[in-house]
Amino acid sequence: VHGDFSPKHRSMASEAMDRVDDERSLDRFELREDELYGLVMRHLLSDGYADAADAVARASGLPLSIADDAADMGTLAELLALGRKAKREAELKASNRRVNDLHVPESTSGAISERLPPSRLKATAKHSGPCRASAFSANGERIATGGADGSVRVLSAVGAKAGQASCVTHSYVNAADDKVNSLLFHPFAPRLFSGSRDGTVRVFDISHEGQIAAHQFADAAPVRAMALHPSGDFLLVGAEHPVLRIYDLNAGGDGLCYTSHDLEQFHVAGITCVAYAADAAFYVTGSRDGTVKLWNGVTNEHISTQSQAHGGAEIVSVAVTQNKRYLLTTGRDSTTKLWDLTTGRVVRTFSDYASSLQCPAVFTHTERHIIAPDDRIGGAIVYDTCSGEVVAQLVDPKAPSRVRHISTSPTEHGVTVCCEDGRALVFFPEI
């Protein structure tokens, strides 16, 4: 289907995802007291703490032999990981029930703009080359920035809001002079993913102080974009290649890599951007070929293609609203469009800005505002999503610079603006 975003497949994907969630549900799993102590004793014995295991047996009044009975239940660590995952999935379902229900009227006539809370520059991270990528963690507590020099910084958002002179908590190195093109945090594990020009996705463990990646995935083409499934189980990787990669992160080692079987529906040029819907019922890809494609998030089947999303210009970014009704796209034609996925029509076009770099336009956490780069002011401008009016600017008046990348906090009005001069500017509202 070309030139149309079809909504019918999205409901089918949602139903399939619900079935998967039901099959994985651990809500009815119960652990008896003797089973719990058996797991504890087995864990202690396997780690060489026989005296401690014996002490637990005596204190609980249970025989030490029940540790052997617990063998078929898996390890304590495995069950803890499953429990954490189930808790996270429950939290995700709860958050999806409280989604932003953005509604954009057909016309801007009579639409009242909502002002963004007054914000100011609170913190800065510095790279020796252009700052090319940034991301907030799912809980909004961390900010990552990446540069053309191959360096990655992790900042404390709490420290940034407080205006601390130094809020960088971790520094990592991809490889000498290896440009960082994409960054994202795992939704709940202490991991940071970095996609680079050398075709590598590096995974950093931010619970440790080490400066090198814990492990990595190698690709044959420069990595341009990444997106994580809300469960944290699957990683979408878009590279300078027409075919999207899908990594199963639970497969161990370098993970298993999959692609869609819809061979005839692949892009015909490199993929530049990718985004999941909030519940992963579908995902969206954009490409140098100027097309935007929707894919089923469960089966990975092609849903629809918009072949002239920006008049044939390269697609820079894609983003889906939480209620899955709207799609935000940015093109190299210096325009950002808001599409109604129920009708396939553009409901807003934002073009009152100029950008010579491949910088995305992004939603704020409420989705009531859209932030876009503007070379004319050397910073970013903020649009009201409904009225289309410019309501604010985010710029360092002492040192304006062209903008390479923008990311926003998922929990509050926090914005990171990545600059061509190597700085990452962090803005938060006045306290």
Side-chain angles (χ1 to χ4, degrees):
V1 180
H2 292 271
D4 177 41
F5 291 130
S6 171
K8 63 179 180 180
H9 295 275
R10 294 201 308 281
S11 59
M12 178 181 68
S14 295
E15 291 169 3
M17 179 58 71
D18 289 341
R19 289 195 297 272
V20 171
D21 287 341
D22 289 341
E23 290 169 3
R24 292 180 176 178
S25 175
L26 298 179
D27 292 343
R28 298 179 182 177
F29 181 82
E30 294 182 359
L31 196 65
R32 298 194 313 268
E33 187 177 89
D34 62 320
E35 292 175 327
L36 174 61
Y37 283 118
L39 285 166
V40 170
M41 286 186 274
R42 182 176 175 230
H43 184 79
L44 291 170
L45 288 169
S46 66
D47 283 356
Y49 299 112
D51 291 343
D54 187 60
V56 171
R58 292 196 308 271
S60 63
L62 296 168
L64 193 59
S65 60
I66 66 171
D68 295 329
D69 298 335
D72 61 349
M73 297 176 61
T75 67
L76 185 63
E78 289 171 344
L79 290 178
L80 179 60
L82 286 172
R84 285 178 171 173
K85 180 178 178 181
K87 180 180 179 182
R88 176 60 183 170
E89 289 177 347
E91 291 172 347
L92 285 169
K93 287 181 180 179
S95 65
N96 286 336
R97 286 194 293 268
R98 298 190 299 270
V99 297
N100 296 328
D101 193 15
L102 180 68
H103 174 71
V104 180
E106 288 288 331
S107 171
T108 59
S109 177
I112 300 175
S113 296
E114 183 178 295
R115 300 295 166 181
L116 193 73
S119 300
R120 71 178 181 89
L121 179 60
K122 293 281 192 153
T124 302
K126 189 71 171 68
H127 299 268
S128 59
C131 185
R132 298 172 55 87
S134 63
F136 279 81
S137 61
N139 59 12
E141 295 179 358
R142 292 188 175 101
I143 306 166
T145 66
D149 57 356
S151 66
V152 176
R153 311 268 188 260
V154 178
L155 294 74
S156 164
V158 175
K161 282 191 292 184
Q164 294 178 2
S166 177
C167 55
V168 175
T169 60
H170 299 76
S171 292
Y172 302 106
V173 178
N174 268 344
D177 300 321
D178 179 30
K179 296 179 180 178
V180 179
N181 287 334
S182 181
L183 290 168
L184 57 82
F185 285 93
H186 192 278
F188 51 90
R191 299 179 203 160
L192 174 65
F193 294 78
S194 171
S196 305
R197 183 182 62 175
D198 68 349
T200 303
V201 174
R202 293 175 174 86
V203 187
F204 298 100
D205 185 347
I206 56 178
S207 66
H208 294 84
E209 296 297 328
Q211 291 190 331
I212 60 175
H215 57 277
Q216 61 188 38
F217 310 125
D219 203 297
V223 175
R224 288 290 304 273
M226 301 182 294
L228 267 167
H229 190 281
S231 69
D233 291 341
F234 301 98
L235 176 70
L236 304 181
V237 176
E240 289 288 357
H241 189 275
V243 181
L244 183 76
R245 281 77 158 145
I246 307 164
Y247 286 92
D248 182 349
L249 300 181
N250 289 327
D254 290 342
L256 290 175
C257 183
Y258 303 91
T259 63
S260 171
H261 59 78
D262 275 358
L263 303 181
E264 296 181 356
Q265 300 298 339
F266 288 153
H267 291 284
V268 296
I271 294 172
T272 56
C273 48
V274 59
Y276 265 115
D279 62 356
F282 66 95
Y283 57 86
V284 186
T285 57
S287 170
R288 287 187 183 277
D289 63 14
T291 65
V292 175
K293 293 178 180 285
L294 269 64
W295 306 82
N296 186 303
V298 179
T299 65
N300 298 310
E301 295 174 335
H302 173 258
I303 296 175
S304 60
T305 296
Q306 181 58 257
S307 58
Q308 291 287 318
H310 287 264
E314 175 183 332
I315 308 302
V316 174
S317 65
V318 291
V320 183
T321 57
Q322 289 186 42
N323 62 9
K324 299 182 291 183
R325 178 170 178 176
Y326 300 102
L327 172 68
L328 189 71
T329 65
T330 303
R332 285 300 297 271
D333 57 350
S334 287
T335 65
T336 294
K337 296 181 180 181
L338 187 67
W339 304 76
D340 186 333
L341 291 175
T342 64
T343 64
R345 297 200 304 265
V346 176
V347 293
R348 291 290 182 275
T349 298
F350 307 89
S351 58
D352 188 24
Y353 68 92
S355 176
S356 57
L357 303 174
Q358 297 174 355
C359 180
V362 297
F363 285 113
T364 59
H365 76 292
T366 64
E367 299 175 350
R368 183 56 197 263
H369 298 96
I370 294 168
I371 305 177
D374 195 347
D375 291 351
R376 298 171 302 180
I377 63 170
I381 58 175
V382 183
Y383 291 98
D384 179 276
T385 304
C386 294
S387 71
E389 180 187 3
V390 176
V391 296
Q393 295 182 352
L394 298 172
V395 62
D396 180 1
K398 296 180 181 179
S401 176
R402 290 190 302 167
V403 177
R404 278 267 182 188
H405 192 268
I406 303 169
S407 61
T408 58
S409 170
T411 60
E412 59 185 321
H413 287 293
V415 183
T416 299
V417 176
C418 299
C419 300
E420 183 73 359
D421 63 11
R423 294 174 301 150
L425 310 178
V426 183
F427 294 85
F428 278 103
E430 295 279 6
I431 299 177

